[in-house]
């Protein structure tokens, strides 16, 4: 049995507009902060914050809240289900940081010698490919 | 200066929101969770930094991102274990554990990254 990846645009309707606004605001804030930290303390220090989990707490909390609400609608206490959903989100995010590491490595080693757009696009593609590979590998090992 | 800050804010918000939308529409949830560590802030920051400070400066930032990524891994793994075993409130657990990210990132910077490329 393989776990197939699907797209469900209807899921967008579940989230409220202010949830997207929070993510936009936090994303903008950390990008500004990263730039200011790099200007004040240098790029070697500021670069750490390119991988700061700025929106993860908000995302995990929203996922837990949505799961909880879904269970409440059918008369169940969804507290445990919500926490389990947040734990699952944490695990997927942890796996994806391996791809994030590869992204940084590619940009660090190749950016000075090649076109910027090509390197950023390749690095983003590598993040995705490696993250999916690690995710698939984890499922395979779990079932073996 | 103000103009640059506003541009950074808008570009960062755009990238982070875009990746979080992708994380919302994909199924199964274990796959969608991969977008939790999308390089959204990195793409926004690096694209702007290349324009303002050049490729070498941006490459040096990307080098330190390796330490940040390793700290992110430790942070997310700790969050998973804490949420799974200890049953705390998600918002307090995930926000409180950011200290772990900070400690690990600082330690890696101090040990390997502070001397520059």
């Amino acid at each position: 049995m393989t776990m197939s990846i699907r797209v469900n645009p209807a899921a967008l309707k579940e989230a409220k507009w202010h949830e997207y606004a929070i993510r936009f605001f936090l994303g903008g804030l950390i990008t500004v902060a990263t730039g200011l930290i790099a200007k004040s303390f240098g790029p070697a220090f500021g670069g750490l914050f390119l991988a700061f989990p700025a929106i993860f707490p908000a995302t995990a909390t929203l996922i837990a809240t949505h799961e909880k609400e879904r269970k409440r609608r059918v008369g169940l206490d969804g507290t445990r289900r919500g926490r389990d959903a947040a734990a699952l989100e944490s695990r997927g995010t942890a796996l994806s940081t391996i791809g994030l590491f590869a992204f940084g490595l590619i940009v660090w080693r190749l950016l000075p010698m090649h076109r910027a757009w090509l390197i950023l696009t390749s690095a983003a593609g590598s993040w995705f490919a490696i993250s999916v590979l690690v995710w698939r590998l984890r499922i395979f090992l779990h079932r073996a | 200066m103000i103009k640059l800050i506003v541009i950074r804010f808008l570009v960062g918000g755009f990238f982070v929101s875009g990746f979080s939308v992708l994380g919302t529409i994909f199924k199964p949830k274990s796959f969608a969770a991969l977008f939790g560590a999308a390089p959204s802030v990195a793409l926004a920051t690096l694209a702007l930094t290349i324009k303002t400070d050049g490729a070498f400066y941006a490459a040096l930032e990307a080098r330190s991102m390796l330490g940040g990524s390793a700290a992110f891994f430790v942070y997310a793994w700790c969050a998973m274990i804490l949420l799974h075993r200890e049953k705390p409130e998600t918002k307090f657990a995930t926000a409180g554990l950011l200290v772990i990210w900070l400690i690990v990132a600082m330690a890696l910077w101090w040990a390997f990254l502070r001397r520059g490329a």
Side-chain angles (χ1 to χ4, degrees):
Chain A
M1 194 175 86
T2 56
M3 195 178 274
S4 59
I5 298 162
R6 301 178 308 278
V7 176
N8 176 29
L12 289 173
K13 289 177 191 163
E14 272 186 43
K16 297 170 184 82
W17 74 268
H18 73 265
E19 293 172 358
Y20 292 112
I22 288 170
R23 288 165 181 168
F24 186 93
F25 179 77
L26 288 174
L29 200 67
I30 187 63
T31 307
V32 169
T34 302
L36 294 176
I37 291 168
K39 281 279 169 233
S40 304
F41 301 101
F45 186 76
L48 289 173
F49 292 84
L50 296 184
F52 181 69
I55 64 156
F56 181 78
T59 306
T61 304
L62 289 174
I63 284 166
T65 308
H66 285 166
E67 281 298 321
K68 215 167 154 179
E69 277 172 9
R70 210 170 285 151
K71 283 284 166 190
R72 273 202 188 136
R73 261 182 253 139
V74 291
L76 298 167
D77 176 29
T79 308
R80 188 179 166 182
R81 181 67 176 260
R83 260 193 309 255
D84 286 347
L88 185 71
E89 175 77 9
S90 306
R91 191 178 62 197
T93 298
L95 295 178
S96 178
T97 58
I98 297 166
L100 197 63
F101 188 92
F103 176 98
L105 194 65
I106 289 167
V107 176
W108 169 40
R109 301 305 294 178
L110 302 178
L111 184 64
M113 292 100 75
H114 301 279
R115 286 171 188 266
W117 67 267
L118 183 68
I119 296 306
L120 291 181
T121 311
S122 308
S126 301
W127 160 76
F128 187 69
I130 290 168
S131 299
V132 173
L133 189 72
V134 174
W135 176 72
R136 290 255 184 228
L137 192 65
R138 202 205 154 273
I139 292 169
F140 176 77
L141 292 173
H142 188 69
R143 284 176 181 163
Chain B
M1 180 69 176
I2 296 292
K3 189 183 166 192
L4 196 66
I5 287 174
V6 172
I7 291 170
R8 270 187 185 274
F9 183 84
L10 294 175
V11 174
F14 173 78
F15 272 96
V16 169
S17 306
F19 275 106
S20 83
V21 163
L22 289 174
T24 306
I25 62 172
F26 276 110
K27 298 272 173 199
K29 281 174 192 162
S30 63
F31 175 78
L34 296 177
F35 290 88
S40 45
V41 173
L43 276 171
T45 303
L46 291 169
L48 294 169
T49 303
I50 291 163
K51 282 270 176 205
T52 55
D53 299 287
F56 282 99
Y57 188 99
L60 195 54
E61 284 193 333
R63 176 178 174 263
S64 290
M65 193 185 158
L66 304 182
S69 307
F72 199 165
F73 176 83
V74 175
Y75 162 82
W77 205 258
C78 288
M80 181 193 75
I81 291 168
L82 190 67
L83 288 165
H84 202 65
R85 291 188 187 162
E86 303 299 328
K87 316 292 180 198
E89 276 283 325
T90 304
K91 61 183 163 193
F92 296 126
T94 51
L97 282 173
L98 287 174
V99 175
I100 297 274
W101 180 88
L102 206 61
I103 292 169
V104 176
M106 293 295 168
L108 291 172
W109 174 78
W110 186 262
F112 304 109
L113 303 164
R114 71 193 158 112
R115 288 186 185 90

